[in-house]
Amino acid sequence: MPSITINTTVDIAATQDAVWRVLTDFTSYDEWNPSFRIEGTPEVGAKLVVHLKDGMTFRPKVLAATPGEEFRWLGKLGFRGIVAGEHFFLLTSNGDGTTRLQHGERFSGVLVALAKGSAGKGAAGYEAFSQALKQRVEQLNHTG
């Protein structure tokens, strides 16, 4: 089955735990997140409600929620998941008190082959989220 992966990375001047706190504080997303808002809890097996800024809403299932390390969900679109997206946030230490965020999504399904040419354009939204998260974490880390 064809797949497309969008993968972005950014270094954040804060610990993994500090990044995790902002990433999973869904109630504060409206204050800083340009991409989407989330309802639900970051727990394995939980269903989230994700509202994209373009008006689309989907209900992914949390696959991984390891504090300070990994948050991952799986969303499906259409009958039998014509397109499925596994969204991921991976946090690793840079060894100097800063954190590397790897953020992206792996799309799979029968419609993915049709979208291969436009995959690079989609990375901009992931980059915007990652940069906004970095700014929010560093601002809170600096003031708090």
Side-chain angles (χ1 to χ4, degrees), residues 5 18 21 25 40-41 58 73 82 88 90 96-97 117 119 121 136 140 143:
T5 300
R21 280 192 299 275
D25 180 9
T41 55
F58 63 100
W73 72 61
I82 291 174
F88 58 85
L90 304 173
D96 60 0
K121 297 174 193 160
R136 175 72 171 194
L140 292 176
T143 61

Side-chain angles (χ1 to χ4, degrees), residues 1-81:
M1 185 175 299
S3 69
I4 296 171
T5 300
I6 294 173
N7 194 7
T8 66
T9 58
V10 65
D11 289 330
I12 302 173
T15 65
Q16 289 170 256
D17 289 336
V19 176
W20 179 263
R21 280 192 299 275
V22 174
L23 177 63
T24 57
D25 180 9
F26 303 148
T27 58
S28 296
Y29 269 36
D30 282 342
E31 297 173 21
W32 63 269
N33 183 349
S35 308
F36 53 86
R37 63 185 178 87
I38 299 176
E39 298 171 29
T41 55
E43 297 172 358
V44 173
K47 283 281 194 180
L48 302 175
V49 180
V50 178
H51 303 275
L52 301 179
K53 296 296 182 181
D54 68 5
M56 189 171 145
T57 297
F58 63 100
R59 291 168 173 75
K61 181 179 180 180
V62 177
L63 300 178
T66 306
E69 294 180 16
E70 177 182 21
F71 182 46
R72 186 182 300 264
W73 72 61
L74 179 66
K76 296 180 180 180
L77 182 64
F79 180 69
R80 291 194 175 166

